[in-house]
Amino acid sequence: MYFLPEKLDDYVVAHSEEEPELLQQLTRETYQKILQPIMLSGPYQGRVLSMISKLVHPKTILELGTFTGYATLCLAEGLDKNGQIHTIDINEELHDFQRKYFDKSAYGDQIIQHTGSALDIIPALDMTFDLVFIDADKPNYVNYFHLIIEKLNPGGIILSDNVLWHGKVVEPLNEKDTSTKAVLEFNTLLKDDHRIETVLLPIRDGLTISRKLPF
């Protein structure tokens, strides 16, 4: 989803940091071999994720929704040298594809893969996080938030993807459209929850940055 005119969007991309070669390779192979390659974060959003992670410089990252590992590698660029990123995906068939690219990167030893339902895995993680990226099944976004908010360190950041949901958030709601309904509920939750402060950015399909207040 692009909300800017094409020429202006091209200008934005042209004047932003270039996509690393490894991620270009990952993108090519994803489009060759994996269903729904559009789920990739893509070069521009990837550089946004990388920049935010570098600004936060987290020791611990949690990612919900690995897919082929593109965003994982972008987020890993900002990790503390002794940091870790825990990434969860329900599709076990993608595990080896992800690991191949993780091990090609400089962050392979810092990336811990979890396969299964995030609703089951998150409560079992006995740790807290400085940065969380939510990019998984939309009907569970609210459930994910309630699971991670207590595991988020004060001052920690939640990044939430697809929060404009192809523009459907401002269209008449079809009651059978559970994903759009869930995104609307989630966006309201982020705006109203007193534990965080939130700004929604019109980047690609919408990216929200929420910061946990330090009290």
Side-chain angles (χ1 to χ4, degrees), residues 57-147:
H57 196 50
K59 292 184 178 179
T60 50
I61 300 175
L62 175 63
E63 180 187 35
L64 310 182
T66 317
F67 192 44
T68 55
Y70 190 102
T72 318
L73 291 171
C74 294
L75 292 166
E77 293 176 22
L79 272 173
D80 181 88
K81 65 178 181 178
N82 297 315
Q84 290 184 334
I85 178 169
H86 290 256
T87 184
I88 304 172
D89 200 278
I90 200 165
N91 189 349
E92 63 182 16
E93 294 180 358
L94 292 175
H95 183 278
D96 291 345
F97 186 104
Q98 299 161 2
R99 179 46 60 185
K100 179 174 73 171
Y101 280 94
F102 294 161
D103 288 343
K104 283 184 176 183
S105 77
Y107 318 105
D109 293 340
Q110 295 174 275
I111 301 173
I112 295 95
Q113 293 165 279
H114 302 269
T115 303
S117 169
L119 297 177
D120 297 326
I121 293 170
I122 295 170
L125 295 175
D126 187 20
M127 59 191 306
T128 58
F129 297 95
D130 300 314
L131 178 62
V132 176
F133 182 45
I134 305 177
D135 187 18
D137 55 312
K138 305 307 171 270
N140 273 313
Y141 264 35
V142 168
N143 294 328
Y144 295 145
F145 176 84
H146 290 307
L147 285 176

Side-chain angles (χ1 to χ4, degrees), residues 6-209:
E6 184 177 357
K7 287 185 178 180
L8 191 54
D9 190 85
D10 290 344
Y11 183 88
V12 169
V13 172
H15 290 79
S16 298
E17 194 70 17
E18 293 185 2
E19 180 184 35
E21 172 61 28
L22 180 62
L23 294 179
Q24 295 178 31
Q25 295 174 16
L26 188 159
T27 297
R28 285 194 293 270
E29 188 168 359
T30 298
Y31 271 84
Q32 290 167 355
K33 299 180 178 179
I34 307 298
L35 293 175
Q36 295 182 297
I38 196 173
M39 290 172 61
L40 282 170
S41 292
Y44 176 67
Q45 182 167 323
R47 293 304 88 204
V48 173
L49 295 176
S50 170
M51 180 66 76
I52 293 172
S53 185
K54 288 170 182 174
L55 291 169
V56 175
H57 196 50
K59 292 184 178 179
T60 50
I61 300 175
L62 175 63
E63 180 187 35
L64 310 182
T66 317
F67 192 44
T68 55
Y70 190 102
T72 318
L73 291 171
C74 294
L75 292 166
E77 293 176 22
L79 272 173
D80 181 88
K81 65 178 181 178
N82 297 315
Q84 290 184 334
I85 178 169
H86 290 256
T87 184
I88 304 172
D89 200 278
I90 200 165
N91 189 349
E92 63 182 16
E93 294 180 358
L94 292 175
H95 183 278
D96 291 345
F97 186 104
Q98 299 161 2
R99 179 46 60 185
K100 179 174 73 171
Y101 280 94
F102 294 161
D103 288 343
K104 283 184 176 183
S105 77
Y107 318 105
D109 293 340
Q110 295 174 275
I111 301 173
I112 295 95
Q113 293 165 279
H114 302 269
T115 303
S117 169
L119 297 177
D120 297 326
I121 293 170
I122 295 170
L125 295 175
D126 187 20
M127 59 191 306
T128 58
F129 297 95
D130 300 314
L131 178 62
V132 176
F133 182 45
I134 305 177
D135 187 18
D137 55 312
K138 305 307 171 270
N140 273 313
Y141 264 35
V142 168
N143 294 328
Y144 295 145
F145 176 84
H146 290 307
L147 285 176
I148 65 177
I149 188 63
E150 296 302 328
K151 291 181 176 289
L152 187 67
N153 292 321
I157 299 294
I158 301 172
L159 302 175
S160 308
D161 200 16
N162 305 118
V163 290
L164 294 179
W165 201 229
H166 316 298
K168 292 181 180 180
V169 292
V170 293
E171 296 175 357
L173 178 64
N174 180 342
E175 288 299 326
K176 295 181 180 180
D177 186 350
T178 56
S179 291
T180 300
K181 191 174 182 179
V183 171
L184 288 167
E185 182 182 356
F186 179 73
N187 289 344
T188 299
L189 172 63
L190 294 185
K191 178 66 169 62
D192 293 343
D193 194 292
H194 67 277
R195 293 168 292 183
I196 57 174
E197 54 183 353
T198 291
V199 61
L200 196 161
L201 305 176
I203 293 173
R204 291 302 184 255
D205 197 25
L207 181 71
T208 296
I209 304 176

